[in-house]
Amino acid sequence: MPKQRTYVCIDLKSFYASVECRARGLDPMTANLVVADPERSGTTICLAITPAMKELGIRNRCRLHEIPPGVEYVTALPRMRAYMKASADIYSIYLRYVSPDDIHVYSIDECFIDATPYLSLYGVDARTFAVMLRDAVFQETGIPATAGIGTNLFLAKVALDVTAKHAPDFIGYLDEEEFRRRIWRHRPITDIWNIGPGIARRLARFRVFDLKGVTEMDPDVLYDEFGANAEYLIDHAWGVEPCTIAEIKAYRPGSASMMNGQILPGAYTFEEARVVLREMVDASVLDLVAKRLVTNHISLMVGYGADRGAHAAGDGGGHAGAAGAAGERGADEDGGGAGRGAREVFVGEHGARPARGGWGPAAHATRKIPERTSSLRRLQGYVDALYEEIVDPAKPIRRISLGFGNLVDEDLATYDLFTDWEAEGRERKMQEAVLAVKEKFGKNALLKGTSFQEKATARERNTMVGGHRGGSVAIAEDPGRL
């Protein structure tokens, strides 16, 4: 029988806001500070707010205009490079206590640690071990943290998300028995990791509103409703998670993909959005060339503005992740249903939110192209044709996501008897020259003329990290003294 393991999930409390507080010599637990870019609009989402503001009833990820007028606070522009550096510095602190083989970085402010071998090494219990790591981070950076402890990764995460916030020392603990006692009847179910409003809404159709209800459902019904994902839902409802950190690190995906997406700063026309899409194709192809990869699969999602115009002034932003597994053709399918009557609202740990996003419908499709290539000329043509095929030119556009899938080494690129080798060679040399210039002098050192059009976004996005400003700030000296 395998040895019982103990996992610790550590979350840096209001991380972005805490970094900004420390840079200003403020106490992250008592100062009123908001991380947001007010230049975008009043509907800009706050990336983080301090715990003191949450205690005033202000929800995390609120919009600037939702903060009550009487609340005084400091506004800090997002500085993603500073947060990345702070996260790396904190990770280096963990490495003084544990091996990198026993750490899984879940996000910029959260990680899992397999504490099993270290409890006997340091002669401590799990709670003392978590306190030791948390105190080391606070003493060196001034950034507070919470922790969840569990007998598997899922229980550690739920202990962090649900029980730690109510514990006097901000450390939660769950084993299988405690999970059944404290979490089975917990509502809203959206507080549970990996259960979002969409899953909650589908469960509600069966009059199921908590994990205990999931355990009482017929498994066949769950599989009919959720497919293979029902297995995860059933396991988690029973507090089971067999996956280990070692298995996560050993995992290698069967296929690779890349995605480039952004929310536009306002409603764009068909032709204005086409300019942005061509910039995105250009950037994605350069990424293919730099990594020496080719693709034979493209995916495109174009989201329209909501009918009620609630998002006429946008927040901007970008997203990177796996290329979408969108349906073969889903043009004009509902991507949110905004403006089509009242929508169901779920209340979770981040406050009330609609069951789906507040956007209008979206056009989306995937296509397998007849060659493996990294040619800008060819990929631009395929994407442009798909854009014209699925997008309604009469509708305002607010979101664009472009994906390249089935990525393989460029040695597997396909050619035919009609391939113009000289033209291919010239294009490749040009792409490599562009990469060399951008690497040495910055992404905006060499741009196409289209990027200087009024509605183009590449120049601004090239200065951002993760869709936000990337400026750096220093942590205040002697962070332990507030």
Side-chain angles (χ1 to χ4, degrees), residues 166-179:
H166 304 297
D169 58 357
F170 297 106
I171 295 178
Y173 172 81
L174 289 175
D175 56 18
E176 288 79 356
E177 183 178 348
E178 276 291 289
F179 174 78

Side-chain angles (χ1 to χ4, degrees), residues 265-319:
Y268 274 47
T269 66
F270 182 82
E271 290 302 326
E272 289 169 344
R274 189 202 297 267
V275 171
V276 175
L277 178 60
R278 287 177 174 171
E279 290 182 312
M280 294 167 65
V281 175
D282 197 19
S284 296
V285 168
L286 283 176
D287 201 14
L288 287 177
V289 173
K291 296 175 180 176
R292 299 191 172 279
L293 298 171
V294 291
T295 182
N296 70 345
H297 183 277
I298 60 175
S299 62
L300 178 64
M301 188 285 293
V302 176
Y304 304 118
D307 294 339
R308 57 190 169 87
H311 296 275
D315 304 314
H319 169 73

Side-chain angles (χ1 to χ4, degrees), residues 92-99 118 121-122 129 132-133 136 140:
S92 69
I93 295 174
Y94 298 146
L95 290 180
R96 298 176 198 165
Y97 296 87
V98 301
S99 164
Y118 303 101
L121 176 64
Y122 296 115
F129 179 71
M132 181 171 64
L133 295 177
E140 295 192 37

Side-chain angles (χ1 to χ4, degrees), residues 215-239:
T215 66
E216 295 168 347
M217 286 185 69
D218 183 340
D220 290 337
V221 173
L222 283 168
Y223 276 99
D224 287 343
E225 179 68 23
F226 297 101
N229 288 331
E231 181 176 351
Y232 302 109
L233 190 57
I234 293 170
D235 277 356
H236 289 170
W238 287 100

Side-chain angles (χ1 to χ4, degrees), residues 105-138:
V105 177
Y106 183 65
S107 66
I108 192 172
D109 62 347
E110 195 170 327
C111 73
F112 291 89
I113 296 175
D114 186 348
T116 311
Y118 303 101
L119 303 184
S120 58
L121 176 64
Y122 296 115
V124 297
D125 59 18
R127 186 175 294 272
T128 303
F129 179 71
V131 170
M132 181 171 64
L133 295 177
R134 186 184 65 180
D135 289 352
V137 170
F138 184 77

